[in-house]
């Protein structure tokens, strides 16, 4: 059984899809939700689904043990970032080599890097008059949105799109593919 920790900062719609996808799986389960923001929607989802949570303290995450011993105590094998807005510290990457993945709401290497999250990404895609956007699922390394790409899917950007309408289309892609790709990684 692969024990998954989902790291998220926001509403947690991807976290919910992943939790549901593995609820009855013999291969993997979401054992822990890790969040850096008190009051984030993902914490309510964890409570509803009766999944343990850790609320990160910035000092301990970036200058302490990066919660490696807490994650090991939960037997975590795979870390899944789903709308997690803090950079992953080197200590955590060293503790989980090749075992941390992220989803980004654009076609990397375009529209990635510091400050490129959520609606900022979609606004930039629209401002550059891109005809298509999409999602990228990739391994996490020490640079923002940089590690090896596992999977990409594309969708059109329509002339009338706003960041909100594009976000909706992107979220649909994410919800379809993220649980499936994780399923392949744990099989
Ligand atoms: C998702 O669209 C994810 O790709 C994005 O945040 C959203 C979280 O939505 N992540 C980034 O922008 C990371 N740079 P959710 O909380 O509903 O899953």
């Amino acid at each position: 059984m692969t024990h998954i920790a989902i790291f998220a900062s926001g509403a947690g719609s991807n976290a919910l899809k992943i939790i549901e996808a593995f609820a009855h799986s013999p291969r993997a389960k979401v054992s822990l939700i890790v969040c850096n923001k008190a009051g984030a929607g993902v914490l309510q989802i964890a409570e509803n689904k009766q999944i343990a949570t850790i609320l990160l303290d910035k000092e301990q995450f970036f200058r302490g043990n990066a919660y490696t011993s807490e994650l090991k105590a939960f037997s975590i094998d795979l870390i899944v970032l789903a709308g997690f807005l803090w950079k992953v510290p080197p200590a955590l990457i060293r503790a989980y080599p090749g075992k941390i993945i992220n989803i980004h709401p654009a076609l990397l290497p375009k529209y990635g890097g510091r400050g490129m999250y959520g609606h900022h990404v979609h606004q930039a895609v629209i401002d550059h008059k891109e005809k298509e956007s999409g999602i990228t699922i990739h391994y996490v390394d020490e640079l923002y949105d940089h590690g090896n790409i596992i999977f990409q899917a594309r969708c059109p950007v329509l002339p009338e799109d706003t960041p909100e309408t594009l976000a909706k289309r992107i979220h649909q892609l994410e919800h379809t593919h993220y649980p499936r790709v994780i399923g392949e990684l744990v099989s």
Side-chain angles (χ1 to χ4, degrees), residues 89-147:
L92 189 49
I93 293 171
R94 279 197 300 273
Y96 283 92
K99 296 288 179 190
I100 310 178
I101 64 170
N102 180 44
I103 193 161
H104 187 76
L107 295 170
L108 292 175
K110 283 176 139 183
Y111 306 108
R114 183 177 277 279
M116 274 293 170
Y117 60 88
H119 70 278
H120 297 289
V121 177
H122 307 310
Q123 186 68 62
V125 166
I126 290 168
D127 288 348
H128 283 84
K129 303 198 185 325
E130 296 285 358
K131 296 266 183 292
E132 64 174 10
S133 189
I135 62 168
T136 304
I137 298 169
H138 64 96
Y139 289 105
V140 171
D141 66 12
E142 295 189 18
L143 302 175
Y144 263 121
D145 301 327
H146 180 265

Side-chain angles (χ1 to χ4, degrees), residues 27-50:
R27 281 181 290 135
K29 70 180 275 199
V30 177
S31 304
L32 184 64
I33 299 289
V34 177
C35 181
N36 64 315
K37 207 162 167 235
V42 71
L43 292 171
Q44 187 61 52
I45 291 172
E47 191 180 326
N48 294 347
K49 297 287 182 184
Q50 297 181 306

Side-chain angles (χ1 to χ4, degrees), residues 16-186:
L16 180 60
K17 292 290 175 189
I18 298 163
I19 293 165
E20 288 176 346
F22 293 101
H24 306 291
S25 167
R27 281 181 290 135
K29 70 180 275 199
V30 177
S31 304
L32 184 64
I33 299 289
V34 177
C35 181
N36 64 315
K37 207 162 167 235
V42 71
L43 292 171
Q44 187 61 52
I45 291 172
E47 191 180 326
N48 294 347
K49 297 287 182 184
Q50 297 181 306
I51 297 173
T53 57
I54 291 178
L55 188 58
L56 295 174
D57 170 75
K58 202 168 192 172
E59 191 67 23
Q60 187 183 342
F61 192 54
F62 289 108
R63 279 171 287 278
N65 71 345
Y67 288 82
T68 49
S69 44
E70 286 82 351
L71 293 164
K72 298 287 179 192
F74 276 97
S75 303
I76 297 303
D77 312 290
L78 178 67
I79 296 176
V80 170
L81 310 186
F84 183 65
L85 300 185
W86 281 358
K87 201 167 180 214
V88 177
L92 189 49
I93 293 171
R94 279 197 300 273
Y96 283 92
K99 296 288 179 190
I100 310 178
I101 64 170
N102 180 44
I103 193 161
H104 187 76
L107 295 170
L108 292 175
K110 283 176 139 183
Y111 306 108
R114 183 177 277 279
M116 274 293 170
Y117 60 88
H119 70 278
H120 297 289
V121 177
H122 307 310
Q123 186 68 62
V125 166
I126 290 168
D127 288 348
H128 283 84
K129 303 198 185 325
E130 296 285 358
K131 296 266 183 292
E132 64 174 10
S133 189
I135 62 168
T136 304
I137 298 169
H138 64 96
Y139 289 105
V140 171
D141 66 12
E142 295 189 18
L143 302 175
Y144 263 121
D145 301 327
H146 180 265
N148 284 346
I149 291 174
I150 304 167
F151 175 82
Q152 290 186 307
R154 291 160 194 277
C155 66
V157 180
L158 305 176
E160 65 271 23
D161 264 335
T162 63
E164 290 72 30
T165 59
L166 181 54
K168 209 168 163 196
R169 203 172 301 122
I170 295 281
H171 261 122
Q172 279 167 2
L173 279 184
E174 294 184 328
H175 297 164
T176 302
H177 293 291
Y178 210 9
R180 183 185 61 71
V181 169
I182 295 165
E184 286 173 12
L185 291 178
V186 300

